[in-house]
Amino acid sequence: MAGACATCVVLARDPLRQAMVTSIYGLVLGILFFLFQAPDVALSQTVVGAVALPMMILLALAKVRGGEE
Amino acid sequence: MSDRVRLTVFGVSLAGLLALLVWGLAGLPDFGDFQGAYGQLLNRVAVPERSTTDVVTAVNFDYRGFDTLGEEFILFAAVIGVASILRTLRGERIRRPDDDAAGRHVPETSLLVRVTGLGLVAPTILVGIYIVAHGHQTPGGGFQGGVILATALLLIYLSADYMTMRAVGPTWLIELAEGLGAAGFALIGVGGLVFGSAFFENFLGKGTPGELPSAGTIPLSNTAVGLAVTGGFVFMLSEFLQQALTHRRVHHHRRGGARRAS
């Protein structure tokens, strides 16, 4: 499932969509780490991969698209 | 390079990568059959020696505290890098933080989002503090808890607005947390030199395993790293937000020129 999500990230061509798919991928990867008994890594992966990284991509996109008047 | 050559190069490297991956995966030890001597040793000695029930944290903040110091300053350097790239440039002016990009109508944040977001702020902060404070007992620690604490501020931005977020987390407070955390963690390492015999030696009493104040310097290190990570992430995100929401180029009549300059 993590592999499928990662493929989706690559296949999503629109950066906005890609940011959203990255977030889901981050969450799934976090669950995978948890199932493989690495809860420490799972915690950081979930927060950074599912929240912080997509947020930064979204803000960067917002800047690039709406940056000029 | 023609498409054909490109495809051939891609195909060959893909096959090579796949072969290497399969080869590597076949050589992995089975689950529960770990052969590393260092890991086995730590699993045996960490609880009696350091009173931590989470060996991962014992490795991160005690046995290999020096490595974590390096990681801590990688984050610190990254945050400084982001801050200097996203600083206010000449030819940019600060405006009200509204989303008024040409022809875009932004709908009001729905009541549901506001209520849910604000309702989640307190639990998020609580979970963050819990994870920082219990780093030496349960999975988690300064980094994980710190990032969770940083998302609490994002929730405030989502459910209220940018100005409210700035009011809750003013820049001086964020910078203070970041600086104190990073310096505090390094000082704990120096403390090992002063009161013990090595950098990052655990020089405090270890206490009973499972009790909140135990494991010597590890909870202190966790707190310091938690502060630094919270500060770093919040600082980075608010720099991004500031750049995306309030900074605009002034020369709007020279769109082409402005774009080339960016």
Side-chain angles (χ1 to χ4, degrees):
Chain A
M1 183 149 167
C5 281
T7 316
C8 287
V9 175
V10 178
L11 290 182
R13 300 318 298 181
D14 176 23
L16 198 61
R17 260 164 224 256
Q18 213 165 18
M20 290 304 170
V21 184
T22 308
S23 170
I24 299 169
Y25 171 52
L27 191 63
V28 172
L29 203 59
I31 296 170
L32 184 76
F33 287 151
F34 182 69
L35 292 179
F36 282 164
Q37 304 191 353
D40 289 83
V41 192
L43 271 172
S44 5
Q45 168 60 33
T46 311
V47 189
V48 176
V51 183
L53 177 69
M55 183 75 194
M56 279 177 201
I57 300 176
L58 282 181
L59 288 173
L61 279 178
K63 175 68 183 173
V64 171
R65 291 189 178 174
E68 288 151 29
E69 285 173 357
Chain B
M1 205 189 286
S2 71
D3 279 359
R4 229 188 128 86
V5 181
R6 202 175 288 172
L7 266 180
T8 319
V9 171
F10 174 70
V12 169
S13 35
L14 185 70
L17 183 69
L18 267 180
L20 274 175
L21 261 180
V22 171
W23 186 31
L25 284 174
L28 279 180
D30 293 332
F31 264 92
D33 187 30
F34 180 65
Q35 296 295 337
Y38 189 53
Q40 309 277 22
L41 179 75
L42 280 178
N43 267 342
R44 273 204 310 277
V45 301
V47 180
E49 249 185 38
R50 299 290 198 264
S51 292
T52 50
T53 45
D54 183 18
V55 181
V56 177
T57 309
V59 173
N60 280 343
F61 292 100
D62 187 334
Y63 294 111
R64 305 295 313 158
F66 186 67
D67 297 5
T68 309
L69 186 71
E71 286 168 32
E72 167 63 44
F73 279 93
I74 291 176
L75 183 70
F76 192 73
V79 170
I80 291 175
V82 167
S84 49
I85 290 172
L86 297 185
R87 69 197 184 279
T88 311
L89 294 172
R90 234 174 310 160
E92 277 182 337
R93 68 184 172 80
I94 312 237
R95 39 148 240 173
R96 284 180 55 239
D98 302 328
D99 195 345
D100 60 355
R104 182 137 43 126
H105 175 69
V106 183
E108 282 276 301
T109 313
S110 80
L111 191 65
L112 201 62
V113 172
R114 280 172 188 271
V115 172
T116 320
L118 280 182
L120 278 173
V121 170
T124 308
I125 292 177
L126 195 65
V127 169
I129 292 176
Y130 176 89
I131 286 183
V132 173
H134 292 74
H136 51 302
Q137 286 154 341
T138 49
F143 183 77
Q144 290 90 337
V147 194
I148 292 175
L149 283 173
T151 54
L153 218 73
L154 267 182
L155 276 173
I156 295 179
Y157 166 67
L158 275 183
S159 47
D161 58 29
Y162 177 70
M163 294 322 275
T164 316
M165 195 192 108
R166 303 288 322 182
V168 176
T171 312
W172 65 267
L173 188 68
I174 299 166
E175 283 171 352
L176 189 73
E178 163 84 17
L180 271 185
F185 187 44
L187 280 180
I188 291 170
V190 176
L193 271 179
V194 175
F195 301 106
S197 54
F199 196 49
F200 272 105
E201 182 173 318
N202 198 333
F203 58 89
L204 291 177
K206 310 297 181 294
T208 323
E211 278 180 12
L212 189 56
S214 65
T217 53
I218 296 178
L220 292 181
S221 305
N222 265 326
T223 312
V225 170
L227 267 180
V229 170
T230 313
F233 264 81
V234 169
F235 188 66
M236 199 140 73
L237 286 170
S238 52
E239 280 288 325
F240 264 90
L241 274 170
Q242 200 180 24
Q243 188 58 237
L245 295 179
T246 64
H247 287 192
R248 288 294 178 269
R249 285 210 176 71
V250 193
H251 308 288
H252 46 87
H253 54 280
R254 282 172 51 208
R255 293 184 62 107
R259 193 169 294 145
R260 258 196 305 280
S262 62

